[in-house]
């Protein structure tokens, strides 16, 4: 027997309708690329999203067509999220930090019909345009007055001109909730990027899951500043969760340096923010150098890479900010786990609490997780056994766009994350490493993340990376690569001494190399493939 409740489809356009009707005067604030701050409300955003849908229709865009965006976090990008998906087309967000050849590959693979491009990215698009096979128009995300002169982009359109004569009376269509809504390619450190295709249903369920108190805990009293880009897994879903609960949104545009972010945090009274560790490194350094405090920020989500303990402690002790350590991936929309304590943990000592907060957290309802050994046998949730982490749930991918990579699911519909992890009896998951980064020393595993975290706690270290290097006896041994803080002095022996108090003796790196900068991927992770390449002719002093 079926229940008798209404079978209303879950559709993204309902979020902007909900926000406009119930939080109509709540603000969306953006730092613009033209310069200055733009302010309007959810009511205004709904009107302009409808105009976007009307503009797309006038350009012949149909349901299922892919529309590319190359844009930072701002109000026009937000309107595109709703206008494109709301009319049944697919919003394909492209990471402008990818290599040009990857951008060309992605645009052609997705068969993007239109490309919406932010001002400072137009010159790059101008160069790549001859290689784009399906793009009919580039739309400059600005008004005519700010359009750079002398661009050689045939069929160039201007965003504000497109919207100007549209009535904004568009009636959102209703369709199957499994309809594709947006597309995001994983940066793919090896091989071609692969497209993750989200649906309306998965996006709405993810937005519900993300808003829960022990996930991101968003509400109509929060002001939310996503530092994480809207081209990186839909800014971790914040542009959907915020209108769902009526939170004020603050978009930082392209200015992600410490000074610009700090100014927005203070002026807009931001309560909640989210980003990858490298962004927070820059902000903390800026605040430390200028002796500044944060007056309103209460929560900072750190994800994408492991949050170093030193960062969690500094935010807490010096700035009164609670770090929510989170883990996820593009294939998971992205939220998999977020770290919040349970009430029994509040009685523990500071040190014991910190040990728990280092873990990547617990899954909200909607994400199932298990760990398995090399034979696929399930391992216990005891916080000690570690193995390959598998996940499943309604906002987790079932396969890549156009079948790239073949069948990705394992028996029972489990998606292999490529991460190695432990899970404890309370459901807290801790990443040991990415399976390809773990160092295999004489048949035992060393976690590069644990070593990096330990090194990051040294006051002279700005950033640390650990890679496995060939060793004739042990197969692989850890090499520690350090970027020192400006003006700091640090020698190898001093650092090894410091580490020996923190990690097992056989984990200690065989050598330390100092570099001017640590390379990052387009999504802010340490680019280990490059480091392995840089050190491919390097020989460990212990290798004989
Ligand atoms: P990419 O940027 O490589 O396209 P994702 O952004 O989807 O891919 O990255 C997902 C991966 O990032 C995870 O599988 C995991 O290895 C790593 N990751 C994400 N969050 C964390 C975290 N909090 N701690 C450690 N690793 C993390």
């Amino acid at each position: 027997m079926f229940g008798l409740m209404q079978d209303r489809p879950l559709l993204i356009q309902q979020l902007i309708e909900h926000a406009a009707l119930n939080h109509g005067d709540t603000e969306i604030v953006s730092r613009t690329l033209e310069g200055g701050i733009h302010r309007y409300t959810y009511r205004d955003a709904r009107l302009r999203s409808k105009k976007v849908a009307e503009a797309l229709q006038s350009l012949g865009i149909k349901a299922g067509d892919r529309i590319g965006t190359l844009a930072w976090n701002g109000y026009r990008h937000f309107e595109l999220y709703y206008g494109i998906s709301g009319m049944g087309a697919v919003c394909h967000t492209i990471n402008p930090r990818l290599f040009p050849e990857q951008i060309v590959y992605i645009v052609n693979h997705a068969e993007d019909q239109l490309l919406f491009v932010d001002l400072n990215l137009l010159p790059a698009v101008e160069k790549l345009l001859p290689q784009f096979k399906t793009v009919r128009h580039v739309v400059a995300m600005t008004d005519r007055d700010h359009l750079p002169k002398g661009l050689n982009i045939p069929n160039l359109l201007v965003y504000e001109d497109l919207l100007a004569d549209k009535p904004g009376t568009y009636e959102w269509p209703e369709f199957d909730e499994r309809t594709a809504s947006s597309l995001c390619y994983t940066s793919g450190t090896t091989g071609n990027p692969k497209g993750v295709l989200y649906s309306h249903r998965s996006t709405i369920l993810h937005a519900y899951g993300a808003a829960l108190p022990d996930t991101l805990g968003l509400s109509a009293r929060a002001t939310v500043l996503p530092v994480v880009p809207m081209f990186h897994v839909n800014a971790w879903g914040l542009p959907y969760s915020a209108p769902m609960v009526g939170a004020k949104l603050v978009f930082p545009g392209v200015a992600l340096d410490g000074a610009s972010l700090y100014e927005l945090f203070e002026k807009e009274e931001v309560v909640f923010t989210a980003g990858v560790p490298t962004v927070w490194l820059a902000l903390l350094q800026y605040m430390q150098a200028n002796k500044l405090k944060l007056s309103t920020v209460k929560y900072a989500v750190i994800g994408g890479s492991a949050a170093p303990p030193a960062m969690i402690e500094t935010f807490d002790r010096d700035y009164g900010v609670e770090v929510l350590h989170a883990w996820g991936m593009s294939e998971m929309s992205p939220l998999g786990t977020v770290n919040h304590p349970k009430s029994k943990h509040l009685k523990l000592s500071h040190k014991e609490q910190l040990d728990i907060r280092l873990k990547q957290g617990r899954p909200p309802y909607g994400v199932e997780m298990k760990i398995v050994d090399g034979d696929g046998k399930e391992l216990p949730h005891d916080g000690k056994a570690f193995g390959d982490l598998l996940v499943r749930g309604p906002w987790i991918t079932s396969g890549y766009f156009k079948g790239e990579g073949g069948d990705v699911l394992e028996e029972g519909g489990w998606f292999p994350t490529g991460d190695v992890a432990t899970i404890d009896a309370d459901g807290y998951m801790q990443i040991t490493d990415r399976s390809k980064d773990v160092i295999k020393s004489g048949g035992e595993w060393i976690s590069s993340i644990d070593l990096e975290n330990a090194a990051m706690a040294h006051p002279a270290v700005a950033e640390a990376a650990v890679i496995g290097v060939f060793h004739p006896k042990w197969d692989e041994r850890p090499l520690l690569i350090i970027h020192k803080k400006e003006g700091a002095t640090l020698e190898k022996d001093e650092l090894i001494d410091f580490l020996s108090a923190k990690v097992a003796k056989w984990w200690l790196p065989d050598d330390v190399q100092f570099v001017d900068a640590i390379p990052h991927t387009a999504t802010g992770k340490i680019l280990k493939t490059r480091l392995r390449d840089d050190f491919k002719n390097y020989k460990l002093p212990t290798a004989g």
Side-chain angles (χ1 to χ4, degrees):
M1 187 174 14
F2 285 121
L4 289 173
M5 307 316 280
Q6 299 181 9
D7 215 356
R8 303 279 303 143
L10 304 173
L11 299 172
I12 286 173
Q13 53 271 37
Q14 294 156 358
L15 290 175
I16 194 73
E17 285 298 321
H18 170 81
L21 285 171
N22 302 291
H23 307 280
D25 62 355
T26 298
E27 274 188 317
I28 300 176
V29 179
S30 312
R31 190 190 288 285
T32 67
L33 277 94
E34 291 94 344
I37 299 288
H38 174 275
R39 287 173 191 281
Y40 72 172
T41 63
Y42 277 122
R43 205 177 289 121
D44 302 324
R46 170 179 61 174
L47 177 71
R48 283 173 48 99
S49 312
K50 289 183 173 225
K51 291 185 178 208
V52 168
E54 288 161 349
L56 295 174
Q57 258 188 339
S58 72
L59 292 168
I61 297 303
K62 298 196 188 53
D65 284 347
R66 272 79 67 201
I67 310 297
T69 67
L70 267 162
W72 309 99
N73 293 6
Y75 66 102
R76 291 190 184 104
H77 206 176
F78 182 78
E79 295 159 6
L80 288 169
Y81 264 44
Y82 286 93
I84 296 171
S85 304
M87 61 110 50
V90 179
C91 181
H92 171 209
T93 51
I94 305 164
N95 186 339
R97 299 196 185 110
L98 292 173
F99 294 118
E101 55 272 26
Q102 287 179 313
I103 295 182
V104 170
Y105 173 86
I106 286 177
V107 168
N108 289 337
H109 190 269
E111 301 174 64
D112 290 330
Q113 302 287 308
L114 308 175
L115 266 191
F116 284 83
V117 182
D118 255 342
L119 261 184
N120 69 333
L121 301 168
L122 285 165
V125 166
E126 180 183 15
K127 280 204 203 94
L128 300 180
L129 199 59
Q131 299 177 66
F132 295 153
K133 294 188 186 130
T134 53
V135 175
R136 291 191 276 126
H137 291 282
V138 171
V139 185
M141 290 169 69
T142 187
D143 55 31
R144 195 150 286 277
D145 291 347
H146 290 93
L147 193 68
K149 305 262 171 309
L151 278 174
N152 177 21
I153 300 183
N155 300 331
L156 180 71
L157 298 171
V158 180
Y159 190 91
E160 292 302 333
D161 287 359
L162 262 185
L163 265 54
D165 61 347
K166 302 296 178 294
T169 50
Y170 187 78
E171 298 270 340
W172 301 115
E174 218 171 271
F175 39 74
D176 192 312
E177 64 183 15
R178 292 166 302 177
T179 302
S181 57
S182 62
L183 176 64
C184 181
Y185 282 72
T186 61
S187 39
T189 39
T190 53
N192 279 325
K194 294 196 279 297
V196 183
L197 189 61
Y198 309 102
S199 69
H200 283 259
R201 173 185 155 83
S202 72
T203 305
I204 298 284
L205 292 177
H206 179 267
Y208 271 124
L212 288 173
D214 265 8
T215 316
L216 302 183
L218 300 177
S219 78
R221 294 164 300 287
T223 294
V224 175
L225 188 153
V227 183
V228 51
M230 291 170 77
F231 54 74
H232 187 204
V233 216
N234 300 322
W236 298 348
L238 291 169
Y240 303 117
S241 294
M244 179 177 264
V245 300
K248 170 180 165 182
L249 270 169
V250 182
F251 288 126
V254 69
L256 304 183
D257 59 287
S260 308
L261 285 180
Y262 181 80
E263 187 189 57
L264 270 189
F265 285 146
E266 290 297 301
K267 285 210 171 126
E268 299 304 326
E269 303 184 351
V270 171
V271 175
F272 182 100
T273 183
V276 297
T278 42
V279 167
W280 304 128
L281 279 181
L283 176 76
L284 288 174
Q285 279 180 19
Y286 171 78
M287 292 194 299
Q288 280 154 359
N290 294 282
K291 303 201 165 33
L292 298 169
K293 293 282 171 205
L294 287 164
S295 20
T296 57
V297 177
K298 279 210 179 73
Y299 303 101
V301 181
I302 305 190
S305 301
M311 184 179 282
I312 298 180
E313 278 223 274
T314 310
F315 264 121
D316 188 19
R317 188 191 55 223
D318 300 347
Y319 299 96
V321 174
E322 187 178 333
V323 166
L324 308 181
H325 193 190
W327 165 86
M329 56 198 311
S330 307
E331 290 85 340
M332 302 179 72
S333 302
L335 282 177
T337 59
V338 182
N339 195 323
H340 286 270
K342 295 186 176 179
S343 51
K344 65 179 176 183
H345 297 138
L346 301 175
K347 301 189 193 87
L348 298 175
S349 72
H350 179 74
K351 165 81 179 72
E352 287 166 322
Q353 288 198 36
L354 188 67
D355 285 346
I356 295 169
R357 289 178 62 191
L358 287 183
K359 300 190 175 199
Q360 274 69 10
R362 290 179 277 121
Y365 167 75
V367 176
E368 289 175 76
M369 299 194 306
K370 68 173 180 179
I371 42 175
V372 297
D373 67 12
D375 303 323
K377 197 169 102 298
E378 204 168 333
L379 295 167
H381 293 191
D382 61 6
K384 291 189 191 79
F386 55 86
D388 293 317
L389 178 63
L390 307 181
V391 291
R392 104 186 146 178
W395 60 78
I396 296 168
T397 194
S398 62
Y400 295 100
F401 187 42
K402 295 186 175 173
E404 294 294 333
D407 289 340
V408 292
L409 298 189
E410 300 195 351
E411 208 185 313
W414 292 92
F415 176 80
T417 61
D419 288 324
V420 176
T422 62
I423 301 175
D424 70 20
D426 287 316
Y428 289 80
M429 183 274 289
Q430 183 161 27
I431 300 277
T432 308
D433 222 329
R434 271 195 155 176
S435 55
K436 51 184 190 264
D437 293 338
V438 77
I439 295 144
K440 298 182 179 88
S441 169
E444 300 282 346
W445 286 11
I446 298 176
S447 155
S448 67
I449 294 182
D450 282 4
L451 279 178
E452 285 158 8
N453 281 345
M456 289 283 286
H458 192 286
V461 172
E463 205 174 5
V466 171
I467 55 170
V469 176
F470 172 76
H471 190 283
K473 180 161 173 214
W474 303 107
D475 290 335
E476 261 184 0
R477 288 293 303 160
L479 167 66
L480 174 59
I481 301 163
I482 294 289
H483 172 209
K484 279 187 285 197
K485 281 195 185 142
E486 226 177 279
T489 50
L490 179 64
E491 299 295 333
K492 170 182 162 178
D493 292 346
E494 182 192 341
L495 188 54
I496 298 283
D497 265 1
F498 176 81
L499 291 177
S500 50
K502 296 181 180 280
V503 301
K505 193 156 177 281
W506 67 275
W507 277 41
L508 285 175
D510 285 28
D511 195 14
V512 181
Q513 292 277 314
F514 295 94
V515 295
D516 293 336
I518 295 210
H520 292 109
T521 68
T523 53
K525 297 183 211 305
I526 295 176
L527 187 52
K528 299 225 169 154
T529 45
R530 166 91 64 78
L531 287 175
R532 283 188 202 110
D533 221 39
D534 289 352
F535 285 90
K536 79 170 177 275
N537 296 321
Y538 162 89
K539 211 169 144 222
L540 284 169
T542 52

